[in-house]
Amino acid sequence: MRYAIIADIHANLAAFRAVLEDINKKGGVDEFWCLGDTVDYGPDPRECLEILQRLHPVGVAGNHDLAAAGKMDTSQFSPDAAISARWTADNISLEEIEYLESLPLTLEREGFTLVHGSPFDPVWEYVVSTGIAERNFSFFRTGYCLVGHSHIAEAFKREESRTTAIALTPNIGLVLGAGRMIINPGAVGQPRDGNPDASYAIYDTEAKMLRLHRVPYDIEATQERILRAGLPVTLATRLKEGR
Ligand code: ZN
């Protein structure tokens, strides 16, 4: 079986389409796993939700999905994020809100735990250091855990009571063996590691190999639509910087 692992699409239709084309070019997958934050920041929440739902993904909710559905107070959001959360809530349908509301915060699938933030705090915590990762290994039961939220592709491995960070290199397979791992596939719609290309991963159960992929997309098209929607300018400029 082959699974596509996607996270943080953030209503970036051009990036999402480029990723889906790339997956097709690579022979397709049996199932999509989505780690949340499909909406917010970007200009096309409806189209992204429509395409995502057609893929029948196994998925969890992110903080921005919950905010758009009115299930979360946005006072902890940055000013730009709060503006965009309000805009998103005003620009999606009742059915789409119901879909976002129906998503669980965490789920288990084929030996993986799927969550947006961290197993300890599925909504807010960022797994961005070995210390945070280490604490989280006792909060899930499966061998592996997939997280999003930080928009940075990386992995943390727990082996012989030590936790180490593993850099994920595009196209280089990460073998999932004995050690437990927490893995972030990076963001489809708003990468923050200095590389603006859309980020996602494919897991192949036969090879026991997870591979990160980076896909260039039409950033200007998304930037133009962000500005035309009247969303904050910084949400457009950051896409080109990958920050
Ligand atoms: Zn996000």
Side-chain angles (χ1 to χ4, degrees), residues 122-211:
V123 177
W124 287 112
E125 189 174 52
Y126 294 88
V127 183
V128 285
S129 70
T130 50
I132 296 170
E134 186 159 278
R135 182 160 54 87
N136 269 283
F137 278 104
S138 53
F139 288 91
F140 64 100
R141 306 179 297 181
T142 52
Y144 310 105
C145 175
L146 299 169
V147 301
H149 198 39
S150 72
H151 300 200
I152 292 170
E154 65 183 331
F156 298 93
K157 188 175 190 175
R158 179 94 181 140
E159 213 172 24
E160 290 162 6
S161 63
R162 269 188 63 221
T163 301
T164 47
I166 303 170
L168 294 180
T169 310
N171 305 312
I172 303 290
L174 173 71
V175 178
L176 302 196
R180 296 178 78 209
M181 280 196 227
I182 298 174
I183 303 160
N184 189 324
V188 170
Q190 196 197 72
R192 292 181 191 162
D193 60 354
N195 175 357
D197 293 348
S199 188
Y200 79 98
I202 291 179
Y203 176 57
D204 185 322
T205 56
E206 225 164 280
K208 284 200 170 303
M209 191 94 89
L210 183 140
R211 228 180 271 273

Side-chain angles (χ1 to χ4, degrees), residues 34-37 59-63 65-66 100 103-106 115-116 122-123:
C34 179
L35 307 176
D37 276 9
V60 292
N63 52 321
D65 300 321
L66 296 173
L100 294 174
L103 296 171
L105 291 182
T106 173
V115 68
H116 180 67
V123 177

